[in-house]
Protein backbone atom coordinates (compact mmCIF):
# COMPACT_ATOMS: atom_id res chain seq x y z
CA UNK A 1 0.00 0.00 0.00
CA UNK A 2 1.21 3.52 -0.76
CA UNK A 3 0.12 6.35 1.53
CA UNK A 4 0.72 10.10 1.47
CA UNK A 5 4.17 11.03 2.79
CA UNK A 6 4.16 12.04 6.47
CA UNK A 7 0.78 10.45 7.05
CA UNK A 8 1.54 6.76 7.34
CA UNK A 9 -0.75 5.40 10.08
CA UNK A 10 0.91 3.61 13.00
CA UNK A 11 0.64 -0.18 12.78
CA UNK A 12 -2.66 -1.57 14.01
CA UNK A 13 -4.58 1.69 13.73
CA UNK A 14 -7.36 1.86 11.13
CA UNK A 15 -6.35 3.71 7.99
CA UNK A 16 -8.27 6.92 7.63
CA UNK A 17 -9.86 8.10 4.40
CA UNK A 18 -7.52 10.48 2.61
CA UNK A 19 -10.07 13.24 1.98
CA UNK A 20 -13.34 14.40 3.46
CA UNK A 21 -15.12 13.64 0.21
CA UNK A 22 -13.96 10.02 0.37
CA UNK A 23 -16.63 7.36 -0.03
CA UNK A 24 -15.02 5.20 2.64
CA UNK A 25 -18.12 5.26 4.90
CA UNK A 26 -20.17 4.05 1.91
CA UNK A 27 -17.63 1.58 0.57
CA UNK A 28 -19.46 -1.69 1.27
CA UNK A 29 -22.83 -0.30 0.26
CA UNK A 30 -21.36 1.10 -3.00
CA UNK A 31 -19.61 -2.16 -3.76
CA UNK A 32 -22.85 -4.09 -3.28
CA UNK A 33 -24.85 -1.55 -5.26
CA UNK A 34 -22.69 -1.36 -8.38
CA UNK A 35 -21.17 -4.85 -8.17
CA UNK A 36 -17.71 -6.05 -9.08
CA UNK A 37 -17.92 -5.14 -12.77
CA UNK A 38 -19.87 -1.91 -12.28
CA UNK A 39 -23.56 -1.04 -12.47
CA UNK A 40 -25.62 -1.45 -15.63
CA UNK A 41 -24.99 2.26 -16.34
CA UNK A 42 -21.27 1.64 -16.02
CA UNK A 43 -21.24 -1.43 -18.24
CA UNK A 44 -23.67 -0.34 -20.92
CA UNK A 45 -22.96 3.39 -21.17
CA UNK A 46 -20.34 5.11 -19.03
CA UNK A 47 -17.41 2.69 -19.41
CA UNK A 48 -17.72 2.17 -23.21
CA UNK A 49 -18.10 5.95 -23.72
CA UNK A 50 -15.09 6.64 -21.50
CA UNK A 51 -12.93 4.13 -23.37
CA UNK A 52 -13.98 5.64 -26.72
CA UNK A 53 -12.73 9.05 -25.56
CA UNK A 54 -9.65 7.70 -23.79
CA UNK A 55 -8.42 5.51 -26.67
CA UNK A 56 -5.97 3.53 -24.49
CA UNK A 57 -3.10 1.96 -26.42
CA UNK A 58 -0.81 -0.97 -25.52
CA UNK A 59 2.03 0.09 -23.24
CA UNK A 60 0.45 3.41 -22.26
CA UNK A 61 0.18 4.39 -18.59
CA UNK A 62 -3.36 5.37 -17.53
CA UNK A 63 -4.24 6.99 -14.17
CA UNK A 64 -7.83 6.54 -12.93
CA UNK A 65 -8.63 9.26 -10.36
CA UNK A 66 -11.41 8.38 -7.90
CA UNK A 67 -11.06 4.75 -8.95
CA UNK A 68 -13.46 3.37 -6.32
CA UNK A 69 -13.44 -0.41 -6.35
CA UNK A 70 -11.65 -0.48 -9.68
CA UNK A 71 -14.39 -1.12 -12.26
CA UNK A 72 -12.28 0.44 -15.01
CA UNK A 73 -9.13 -1.56 -14.28
CA UNK A 74 -9.89 -4.80 -16.20
CA UNK A 75 -11.17 -2.85 -19.20
CA UNK A 76 -7.94 -0.86 -19.42
CA UNK A 77 -5.78 -3.93 -18.78
CA UNK A 78 -7.46 -5.74 -21.71
CA UNK A 79 -6.28 -3.00 -24.08
CA UNK A 80 -2.65 -3.68 -23.10
CA UNK A 81 -2.29 -0.35 -21.28
CA UNK A 82 -1.02 -0.17 -17.69
CA UNK A 83 -3.62 0.84 -15.11
CA UNK A 84 -3.05 2.82 -11.89
CA UNK A 85 -6.05 3.76 -9.72
CA UNK A 86 -6.02 6.36 -6.96
CA UNK A 87 -8.76 6.86 -4.41
CA UNK A 88 -9.21 8.43 -0.98
CA UNK A 89 -11.05 5.40 0.40
CA UNK A 90 -8.93 2.57 1.87
CA UNK A 91 -11.94 0.24 1.95
CA UNK A 92 -12.78 0.78 -1.72
CA UNK A 93 -9.15 0.20 -2.64
CA UNK A 94 -9.10 -3.04 -0.64
CA UNK A 95 -12.14 -4.14 -2.66
CA UNK A 96 -10.43 -3.03 -5.88
CA UNK A 97 -7.40 -5.17 -5.06
CA UNK A 98 -9.67 -8.10 -4.20
CA UNK A 99 -11.75 -7.85 -7.39
CA UNK A 100 -9.17 -6.59 -9.88
CA UNK A 101 -5.79 -6.88 -8.18
CA UNK A 102 -4.19 -8.45 -11.24
CA UNK A 103 -5.37 -5.69 -13.56
CA UNK A 104 -3.42 -2.81 -12.09
CA UNK A 105 -1.94 -0.96 -9.15
CA UNK A 106 -3.88 1.02 -6.53
CA UNK A 107 -2.75 4.02 -4.51
CA UNK A 108 -4.44 5.54 -1.48
CA UNK A 109 -4.41 9.31 -1.63
CA UNK A 110 -6.10 12.62 -2.17
CA UNK A 111 -6.71 13.61 -5.79
CA UNK A 112 -6.00 17.22 -4.85
CA UNK A 113 -2.44 16.44 -3.75
CA UNK A 114 -1.12 13.79 -6.08
CA UNK A 115 2.33 15.39 -6.23
CA UNK A 116 2.82 14.50 -2.54
CA UNK A 117 2.11 10.78 -3.03
CA UNK A 118 4.84 8.20 -3.12
CA UNK A 119 4.53 6.05 -6.20
CA UNK A 120 3.42 8.90 -8.49
CA UNK A 121 5.71 11.21 -10.40
CA UNK A 122 5.29 14.28 -12.57
CA UNK A 123 4.61 13.91 -16.30
CA UNK A 124 4.47 10.11 -16.10
CA UNK A 125 0.99 9.24 -17.49
CA UNK A 126 -0.22 9.20 -21.09
CA UNK A 127 -3.79 9.71 -19.91
CA UNK A 128 -5.72 10.60 -16.77
CA UNK A 129 -9.38 9.64 -16.40
CA UNK A 130 -12.19 10.59 -14.02
CA UNK A 131 -14.99 8.03 -14.33
CA UNK A 132 -18.06 9.40 -12.52
CA UNK A 133 -15.80 10.79 -9.81
CA UNK A 134 -14.98 14.46 -10.47
CA UNK A 135 -18.37 15.65 -9.24
CA UNK A 136 -17.58 14.00 -5.90
CA UNK A 137 -14.38 16.03 -5.45
CA UNK A 138 -13.96 19.59 -4.28
CA UNK A 139 -12.59 22.11 -4.94
CA UNK A 140 -12.03 21.61 -8.65
CA UNK A 141 -8.87 23.69 -9.11
CA UNK A 142 -6.40 21.53 -7.08
CA UNK A 143 -7.90 18.36 -8.58
CA UNK A 144 -7.27 19.55 -12.15
CA UNK A 145 -3.85 21.00 -11.23
CA UNK A 146 -2.86 17.68 -9.72
CA UNK A 147 -4.09 15.75 -12.77
CA UNK A 148 -2.22 18.08 -15.14
CA UNK A 149 0.94 17.52 -13.04
CA UNK A 150 0.67 13.76 -13.61
CA UNK A 151 0.21 14.04 -17.40
CA UNK A 152 2.99 13.81 -19.97
CA UNK A 153 3.18 16.71 -22.44
CA UNK A 154 0.52 16.05 -25.08
CA UNK A 155 -1.26 13.63 -22.70
CA UNK A 156 -5.04 13.24 -22.58
CA UNK A 157 -7.45 13.92 -19.75
CA UNK A 158 -10.93 12.40 -19.93
CA UNK A 159 -13.84 13.35 -17.68
CA UNK A 160 -17.03 11.28 -17.68
CA UNK A 161 -19.73 12.82 -15.51
CA UNK A 162 -23.44 13.17 -15.02
CA UNK A 163 -24.44 15.93 -17.44
CA UNK A 164 -24.23 19.12 -15.36
CA UNK A 165 -26.69 21.04 -17.55
CA UNK A 166 -29.54 18.52 -17.41
CA UNK A 167 -29.09 16.10 -14.53
CA UNK A 168 -28.26 18.04 -11.37
CA UNK A 169 -29.30 15.88 -8.43
CA UNK A 170 -32.31 17.36 -6.59
CA UNK A 171 -32.28 20.46 -8.82
CA UNK A 172 -33.78 18.94 -11.98
CA UNK A 173 -36.44 16.39 -12.80
CA UNK A 174 -38.89 15.00 -15.34
CA UNK A 175 -42.33 16.45 -15.96
CA UNK A 176 -45.34 15.69 -18.17
CA UNK A 177 -46.89 18.37 -20.38
CA UNK A 178 -50.48 17.20 -20.84
CA UNK A 179 -51.29 19.80 -23.51
CA UNK A 180 -48.34 18.86 -25.74
CA UNK A 181 -48.25 15.21 -24.64
CA UNK A 182 -44.54 15.34 -24.03
CA UNK A 183 -42.04 14.62 -21.30
CA UNK A 184 -39.87 17.59 -20.41
CA UNK A 185 -36.84 18.13 -18.21
CA UNK A 186 -37.25 20.74 -15.51
CA UNK A 187 -34.09 22.63 -14.47
CA UNK A 188 -34.40 24.49 -11.18
CA UNK A 189 -30.86 25.85 -10.92
CA UNK A 190 -27.75 25.77 -13.05
CA UNK A 191 -25.29 28.68 -12.89
CA UNK A 192 -24.46 28.65 -9.18
CA UNK A 193 -21.99 25.99 -8.02
CA UNK A 194 -23.71 23.94 -5.34
CA UNK A 195 -22.81 21.11 -2.97
CA UNK A 196 -25.74 18.69 -2.99
CA UNK A 197 -26.21 16.01 -0.30
CA UNK A 198 -26.52 12.62 -1.97
CA UNK A 199 -29.95 11.03 -1.97
CA UNK A 200 -30.37 8.08 0.35
CA UNK A 201 -30.66 4.91 -1.68
CA UNK A 202 -31.99 1.58 -0.41
CA UNK A 203 -29.63 -0.15 2.00
CA UNK A 204 -27.49 2.89 2.63
CA UNK A 205 -26.42 3.85 6.12
CA UNK A 206 -28.25 7.11 6.74
CA UNK A 207 -25.43 8.42 8.94
CA UNK A 208 -22.87 8.16 6.13
CA UNK A 209 -23.14 11.33 4.11
CA UNK A 210 -21.55 12.28 0.81
CA UNK A 211 -22.08 15.27 -1.38
CA UNK A 212 -22.10 15.80 -5.09
CA UNK A 213 -20.67 19.12 -6.30
CA UNK A 214 -22.70 20.76 -9.03
CA UNK A 215 -20.77 23.16 -11.28
CA UNK A 216 -21.83 24.79 -14.53
CA UNK A 217 -20.06 23.49 -17.61
CA UNK A 218 -17.94 26.64 -18.03
CA UNK A 219 -16.15 25.91 -14.75
CA UNK A 220 -14.84 22.64 -16.20
CA UNK A 221 -13.81 24.16 -19.52
CA UNK A 222 -12.11 27.18 -17.92
CA UNK A 223 -10.59 25.01 -15.16
CA UNK A 224 -9.04 22.67 -17.75
CA UNK A 225 -7.76 25.58 -19.86
CA UNK A 226 -6.10 27.14 -16.79
CA UNK A 227 -4.03 23.95 -16.50
CA UNK A 228 -3.08 24.00 -20.19
CA UNK A 229 -5.68 21.35 -21.06
CA UNK A 230 -7.66 22.11 -24.19
CA UNK A 231 -10.83 20.21 -25.05
CA UNK A 232 -10.78 18.40 -28.38
CA UNK A 233 -13.86 16.19 -27.97
CA UNK A 234 -17.17 16.31 -26.20
CA UNK A 235 -19.70 13.50 -26.06
CA UNK A 236 -23.27 13.93 -24.78
CA UNK A 237 -24.64 10.50 -24.00
CA UNK A 238 -28.26 9.40 -23.47
CA UNK A 239 -29.41 6.61 -21.16
CA UNK A 240 -29.17 3.26 -22.89
CA UNK A 241 -32.50 1.78 -21.95
CA UNK A 242 -35.65 3.01 -23.56
CA UNK A 243 -39.05 2.08 -22.20
CA UNK A 244 -41.05 -0.12 -24.50
CA UNK A 245 -44.37 -0.24 -22.70
CA UNK A 246 -46.64 2.05 -20.73
CA UNK A 247 -49.10 4.79 -21.48
CA UNK A 248 -46.62 7.48 -22.54
CA UNK A 249 -43.85 5.16 -23.73
CA UNK A 250 -43.17 7.04 -26.97
CA UNK A 251 -42.89 10.38 -25.21
CA UNK A 252 -40.65 8.90 -22.51
CA UNK A 253 -38.41 7.29 -25.14
CA UNK A 254 -38.08 10.58 -27.01
CA UNK A 255 -37.10 12.46 -23.85
CA UNK A 256 -34.55 9.81 -22.88
CA UNK A 257 -33.06 9.88 -26.37
CA UNK A 258 -32.91 13.66 -26.57
CA UNK A 259 -31.83 14.68 -23.07
CA UNK A 260 -28.40 13.30 -22.22
CA UNK A 261 -27.52 11.47 -19.02
CA UNK A 262 -23.73 11.74 -19.18
CA UNK A 263 -21.23 14.23 -20.53
CA UNK A 264 -17.77 13.15 -21.65
CA UNK A 265 -14.95 15.64 -22.19
CA UNK A 266 -11.53 14.88 -23.60
CA UNK A 267 -8.74 17.43 -23.34
CA UNK A 268 -5.06 17.42 -24.24
CA UNK A 269 -2.10 18.91 -22.41
CA UNK A 270 -0.78 21.51 -24.81
CA UNK A 271 2.98 21.50 -25.13
CA UNK A 272 4.49 24.89 -24.39
C1 LIG B 1 -19.00 7.78 -7.34
S1 LIG B 1 -17.50 7.08 -6.82
C2 LIG B 1 -16.89 6.54 -8.42
C3 LIG B 1 -15.93 5.42 -8.31
C4 LIG B 1 -15.54 4.76 -9.65
N1 LIG B 1 -14.85 5.67 -10.53
C5 LIG B 1 -16.75 4.19 -10.31
O1 LIG B 1 -17.15 4.69 -11.39
O2 LIG B 1 -17.32 3.23 -9.77
C6 LIG B 1 -16.47 8.53 -6.49
C7 LIG B 1 -15.10 8.16 -5.92
O3 LIG B 1 -14.30 9.35 -5.75
C8 LIG B 1 -13.52 9.17 -4.57
N2 LIG B 1 -13.07 10.49 -4.07
C9 LIG B 1 -13.80 11.52 -3.64
N3 LIG B 1 -13.01 12.55 -3.30
C10 LIG B 1 -11.72 12.16 -3.52
C11 LIG B 1 -10.44 12.78 -3.39
N4 LIG B 1 -10.31 14.04 -2.96
N5 LIG B 1 -9.36 12.08 -3.72
C12 LIG B 1 -9.45 10.80 -4.19
N6 LIG B 1 -10.63 10.16 -4.36
C13 LIG B 1 -11.75 10.83 -4.02
C14 LIG B 1 -14.47 8.47 -3.61
O4 LIG B 1 -13.82 7.86 -2.52
C15 LIG B 1 -15.17 7.50 -4.55
O5 LIG B 1 -14.52 6.27 -4.59
Amino acid sequence: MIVPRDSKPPRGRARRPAAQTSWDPLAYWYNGWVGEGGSEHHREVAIPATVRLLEPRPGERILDVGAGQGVLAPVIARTGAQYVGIDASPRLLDLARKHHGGAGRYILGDARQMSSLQGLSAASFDAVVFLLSIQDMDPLEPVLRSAAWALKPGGRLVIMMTHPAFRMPRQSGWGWDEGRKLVYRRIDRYLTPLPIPMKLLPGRDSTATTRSFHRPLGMYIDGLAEQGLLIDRMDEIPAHKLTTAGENAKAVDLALREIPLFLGLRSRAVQS
Side-chain angles (χ1 to χ4, degrees):
M1 181 194 70
I2 296 167
V3 296
R5 283 187 195 123
D6 308 325
S7 65
K8 202 167 185 171
R11 271 180 187 282
R13 197 192 291 174
R15 290 169 301 155
R16 298 171 67 99
Q20 289 212 330
T21 50
S22 162
W23 280 36
D24 209 55
L26 297 174
Y28 301 125
W29 165 81
Y30 186 67
N31 183 55
W33 189 51
V34 302
E36 192 177 321
S39 66
E40 198 174 330
H41 276 321
H42 274 110
R43 284 179 278 112
E44 302 292 334
V45 190
I47 291 178
T50 300
V51 172
R52 275 199 302 277
L53 288 175
L54 198 58
E55 296 181 300
R57 291 185 276 272
E60 283 193 330
R61 298 191 73 224
I62 312 277
L63 179 64
D64 180 13
V65 184
Q69 26 83 291
V71 293
L72 196 56
V75 183
I76 298 297
R78 277 198 291 276
T79 68
Q82 294 169 37
Y83 173 94
V84 178
I86 164 173
D87 202 283
S89 162
R91 289 180 184 144
L92 281 171
L93 291 183
D94 284 347
L95 291 161
R97 290 185 191 101
K98 187 169 145 215
H99 299 324
H100 310 295
R105 203 159 62 82
Y106 301 92
I107 297 178
L108 175 66
D110 190 334
R112 299 168 302 182
Q113 296 169 356
M114 291 196 277
S115 61
S116 67
L117 297 179
Q118 284 174 4
L120 289 184
S121 42
S124 58
F125 287 91
D126 298 282
V128 172
V129 55
F130 294 84
L131 171 64
L132 306 182
S133 61
I134 205 161
Q135 288 161 311
D136 299 300
M137 297 176 187
D138 192 63
L140 186 60
E141 195 272 341
V143 173
L144 293 179
R145 183 164 19 92
S146 208
W149 167 87
L151 268 184
K152 291 179 184 174
R156 331 187 273 292
L157 185 145
V158 168
I159 295 174
M160 184 59 58
M161 61 183 159
T162 306
H163 203 304
F166 299 109
R167 300 288 191 140
M168 295 95 76
R170 295 176 184 241
Q171 300 295 333
S172 63
W174 297 111
W176 171 248
D177 183 328
E178 181 58 33
R180 298 172 68 201
K181 303 274 185 240
L182 59 77
V183 173
Y184 61 85
R185 188 85 188 158
R186 189 201 75 240
I187 310 296
D188 303 335
R189 299 184 62 164
Y190 173 68
L191 282 176
T192 308
L194 200 65
I196 304 174
M198 214 179 100
K199 207 163 133 190
L200 278 178
L201 289 162
R204 228 192 82 183
D205 172 3
S206 58
T207 59
T209 53
T210 55
R211 285 177 301 169
S212 169
F213 297 90
H214 166 71
R215 306 169 184 110
L217 193 44
M219 276 186 75
Y220 290 97
I221 295 171
D222 292 350
L224 288 165
E226 276 161 23
Q227 304 303 330
L229 289 155
L230 298 188
I231 292 173
D232 70 351
R233 232 185 111 184
M234 168 165 155
D235 200 0
E236 296 181 283
I237 306 148
H240 73 292
K241 229 185 205 162
L242 303 180
T243 50
T244 45
E247 212 183 320
N248 304 316
K250 264 176 104 170
V252 173
D253 284 357
L254 182 66
L256 288 175
R257 260 201 309 273
E258 285 297 322
I259 300 178
L261 171 58
F262 296 123
L263 171 66
L265 296 174
R266 183 178 69 200
S267 56
R268 285 184 192 272
V270 289
Q271 304 182 39
S272 49

